[in-house]
Amino acid sequence: MDELVRLRVSGLRQQRSVQRQFEEMADTAAARIEPFLAQEFRGLDESGREAALNGVCDTFARADLSDEAVLAADAQPAELIRRITASVSPPVGLNEPETRLYELLFSECCEYYVSIVRTLPVFEERTLAELLARTSSLSDRVARVLERLPDRSLFAPDGTDRDQEFRRWWSANSGTTRSCCCTCRIG
């Protein structure tokens, strides 16, 4: 986020203001998850909690969190988690409770990250451009598929000159006499 703020927000004062807002969001997220951690991970000592948290920080530092990566994940936290875990090795040396805490915190952080990124005006612009590009690409693919399909018509040929041909085909393929509609019997 620091890099994004430096690139997208002009002026040191504005940059510091935005950074403070992100710090407040981080504090809010921490306050939200602390009671859960105190209950679910009460047996985990402070060094174990810190190891799990450092693991999340390291994973985020090594992950591709660019607009392109978020868009490639369709701005869906679960897909971003899948992509990050496929490309970044999890921290080593964590015991079982620390690993569970790491996974929980990592998942929560991805949820928060995607939620925040989605609300940024710059991301909304990028999303619109991406959506238009995907729509154009999809339209081109559909046109190519339709070009390869044979022409179909929903209109039956005029007249009854093909009825006998159909009756012979039906009889040969069905093996029994059947009604094809309310008024005729074939076979």
Side-chain angles (χ1 to χ4, degrees):
M1 285 298 204
D2 288 338
E3 181 181 342
L4 182 63
V5 170
R6 279 193 307 275
L7 292 174
R8 302 290 185 178
V9 179
S10 61
L12 183 59
R13 187 168 158 247
Q14 270 303 102
Q15 289 176 1
R16 292 185 65 211
S17 174
V18 170
Q19 287 172 336
R20 280 192 299 274
Q21 288 174 355
F22 282 126
E23 288 170 4
E24 286 176 22
M25 285 186 257
D27 290 343
T28 301
R32 179 176 170 237
I33 201 167
E34 278 177 352
F36 175 76
L37 295 179
Q39 181 63 31
E40 285 296 312
F41 294 94
R42 62 180 168 271
L44 192 58
D45 63 13
E46 188 62 33
S47 65
R49 290 180 186 193
E50 186 145 336
L53 183 58
N54 287 338
V56 172
C57 292
D58 290 345
T59 300
F60 263 75
R62 292 181 291 153
D64 180 3
L65 298 172
S66 65
D67 287 354
E68 291 81 12
V70 175
L71 287 170
D74 293 329
Q76 297 297 318
E79 180 62 16
L80 184 64
I81 291 167
R82 190 189 68 72
R83 287 171 178 265
I84 292 173
T85 55
S87 64
V88 176
S89 301
V92 294
L94 300 180
N95 62 30
E96 193 269 329
E98 293 167 349
T99 299
R100 282 187 312 130
L101 179 57
Y102 163 81
E103 290 170 350
L104 172 77
L105 291 175
F106 175 67
S107 175
E108 286 286 316
C109 287
C110 285
E111 290 273 346
Y112 297 143
Y113 183 77
V114 170
S115 294
I116 291 168
V117 168
R118 280 182 182 166
T119 63
L120 297 174
V122 170
F123 186 75
E124 290 175 0
E125 293 168 13
R126 293 285 313 270
T127 302
L128 180 57
E130 177 71 13
L131 181 59
L132 291 173
R134 287 184 185 188
T135 301
S136 294
S137 174
L138 181 60
S139 177
D140 292 344
R141 286 190 218 150
V142 168
R144 284 193 303 270
V145 167
L146 291 175
E147 287 172 359
R148 290 186 289 197
L149 292 175
D151 287 335
R152 301 275 188 226
S153 172
L154 296 177
F155 300 105
D158 290 333
T160 59
D161 58 334
R162 301 183 92 193
D163 288 355
Q164 284 300 80
E165 179 184 337
F166 175 75
R167 285 187 179 106
R168 278 192 300 278
W169 176 87
W170 184 268
S171 294
N173 289 304
S174 68
T176 61
T177 301
R178 296 184 181 184
S179 293
C180 67
C181 65
C182 317
T183 60
C184 67
R185 306 251 327 142
I186 299 176

